[in-house]
Amino acid sequence: MAELKVNAAGKSNIVIKKSKLATAGTIIKRDWQLYSLLVLPIIYLIIFKYGPMFGNIIAFRRFMPGGKIYGESWVGLHYFKMFINDPTFWNVFKNTLLLGGLTLLICFPMPIIFALLLNEIKAKKFKKFVQTASYLPHFLSIVIVAGMVLQLTAVNGTINVIVEFFTGEKIAYIQQAEWFRTIYITSEIWQTMGWGAILYLAALTTIDESLYEAAKMDGANRWKQTLHITIPGILPTIVVLLILNIGSFMAVGFEKILLLYNPLTYETSDVISTYLYRVGLESSNFSYATAIGLFESIIGLILVLSANGISRKLTERSLW
């Protein structure tokens, strides 16, 4: 780096300074112990994330089980035309959008609201109890959660015992298509709300307490403090998590839906991931399933890029 200096005699001297920025090689050599921790995660990503991407080629080729690994012959957009003209796919696509939209609209704000409410609790013991009780469902296996939901909504389950007491009749909730979305969203809130609030509670601790004291002196009540201090303070966290959730918009919970749905509820419960499972693994139509999966991934990529761009323009905050 060159710097121009003027001495007492009025003459200018150019002083050459070494750049403070070390080269990448020097940094890696100096902190090689830390960078060595990245080796296993990078190998994992290459083998299990980037490697399988080459398999997308069978979406454009006719793949036969037991044949060539990348298909027998080139068919171009044949499988894409198949699912575009398939009424079943569009019903599945509609269900995916509805379930994904409801999950984003209802489940995403719940941890934020829950964290704000917890932040207002002053009794420390009660607050810790509520936090612990709300976190526990996250650590339960999805199989256990699905089993609990099926037990609660069964004809002779707990919910029907209560309903029968008041109305005198039972409802087969899990066998009726119109009830599936309500059951799924409710169980999703119960399972994820407490765990999702952790990040927001952590973000709340970074807000300067002097801001609240100044707001009190100006006459702001708790609602105005929340609206003008608390929410703006955790807004960067909200934006980042919102973008990530929009990116996984199409990937509605495969495991839970697979465990909860049945042929009677396909009308409202069958989503792209479960449809891919039946078409790809059960029917062995791998090329068709790959084409649908590639279509779903492209939509997810478009959504996350769009959400990131919109967020950057509107809030000046983004993932990159």
Side-chain angles (χ1 to χ4, degrees):
M1 181 182 295
E3 183 177 323
L4 182 63
K5 286 188 175 182
V6 180
N7 57 23
K11 295 182 179 180
S12 60
N13 296 324
I14 298 177
V15 180
I16 306 297
K17 289 186 176 182
K18 291 184 178 180
S19 175
K20 294 181 180 180
L21 298 176
T23 62
T26 305
I27 295 174
I28 294 174
K29 186 177 180 180
R30 183 187 64 200
D31 302 321
W32 67 270
Q33 296 95 336
L34 293 175
Y35 285 100
S36 64
L37 298 175
L38 291 173
V39 174
L40 287 179
I42 290 174
I43 292 174
Y44 170 82
L45 288 173
I46 292 173
I47 295 176
F48 296 102
K49 299 298 182 181
Y50 290 97
M53 287 185 182
F54 292 102
N56 286 325
I57 191 66
I58 67 172
F60 307 95
R61 298 178 65 85
R62 191 180 306 280
F63 177 83
M64 301 295 291
K68 297 179 181 179
I69 190 170
Y70 290 119
E72 303 294 331
S73 59
W74 183 267
V75 294
L77 299 177
H78 171 73
Y79 293 108
F80 291 89
K81 294 176 182 177
M82 278 182 62
F83 74 70
I84 287 174
N85 296 319
D86 185 1
T88 304
F89 168 77
W90 289 111
N91 181 61
V92 168
F93 186 72
K94 180 191 72 175
N95 290 338
T96 305
L97 291 180
L98 286 173
L99 273 178
L102 289 172
T103 302
L104 191 65
L105 186 64
I106 299 174
C107 296
F108 179 75
M110 292 304 294
I112 303 173
I113 298 171
F114 185 60
L116 293 174
L117 292 175
L118 278 178
N119 192 51
E120 297 299 319
I121 298 176
K122 302 304 178 184
K124 291 185 178 180
K125 290 185 178 180
F126 179 69
K127 183 177 181 179
K128 288 181 179 179
F129 170 76
V130 173
Q131 284 181 298
T132 304
S134 64
Y135 297 163
L136 286 178
H138 174 79
F139 297 100
L140 295 177
S141 166
I142 193 67
V143 177
I144 295 175
V145 172
M148 292 173 64
V149 172
L150 291 173
Q151 180 62 36
L152 288 169
T153 57
V155 176
N156 296 318
T158 306
I159 294 176
N160 265 315
V161 170
I162 299 172
V163 171
E164 187 180 24
F165 178 79
F166 288 101
T167 65
E169 60 181 24
K170 296 180 180 180
I171 302 173
Y173 293 102
I174 206 63
Q175 297 174 5
Q176 297 184 18
E178 61 269 23
W179 280 101
F180 183 85
R181 290 169 187 153
T182 303
I183 293 171
Y184 175 82
I185 295 298
T186 304
S187 65
E188 194 71 9
I189 291 173
W190 172 72
Q191 188 180 7
T192 62
M193 182 176 67
W195 181 256
I198 292 177
L199 290 174
Y200 299 110
L201 288 171
L204 286 170
T205 61
T206 64
I207 300 176
D208 190 352
E209 288 294 330
S210 63
L211 296 175
Y212 292 105
E213 295 173 4
K216 288 178 183 178
M217 293 179 65
D218 290 337
N221 55 28
R222 295 302 300 174
W223 168 248
K224 289 184 177 179
Q225 291 175 36
T226 301
L227 191 63
H228 298 290
I229 298 174
T230 307
I231 294 179
I234 64 174
L235 187 60
T237 304
I238 294 174
V239 169
V240 170
L241 292 177
L242 178 61
I243 294 171
L244 293 174
N245 275 268
I246 291 175
S248 58
F249 178 84
M250 299 293 291
V252 184
F254 165 71
E255 296 89 353
K256 185 183 290 186
I257 294 176
L258 186 67
L259 293 168
L260 292 178
Y261 84 155
N262 58 73
L264 295 175
T265 61
Y266 278 175
E267 182 184 350
T268 57
S269 64
D270 199 14
V271 294
I272 290 178
S273 55
T274 54
Y275 182 63
L276 287 178
Y277 172 78
R278 295 201 312 277
V279 171
L281 295 181
E282 293 184 358
S283 302
S284 299
N285 197 345
F286 298 106
S287 293
Y288 184 56
T290 303
I292 298 175
L294 186 59
F295 174 74
E296 178 190 11
S297 300
I298 292 172
I299 291 178
L301 178 63
I302 293 171
L303 285 173
V304 74
L305 291 175
S306 301
N308 192 73
I310 293 171
S311 175
R312 190 190 303 113
K313 287 185 177 180
L314 297 180
T315 68
E316 296 183 354
R317 295 181 177 91
S318 60
L319 284 177
W320 63 86

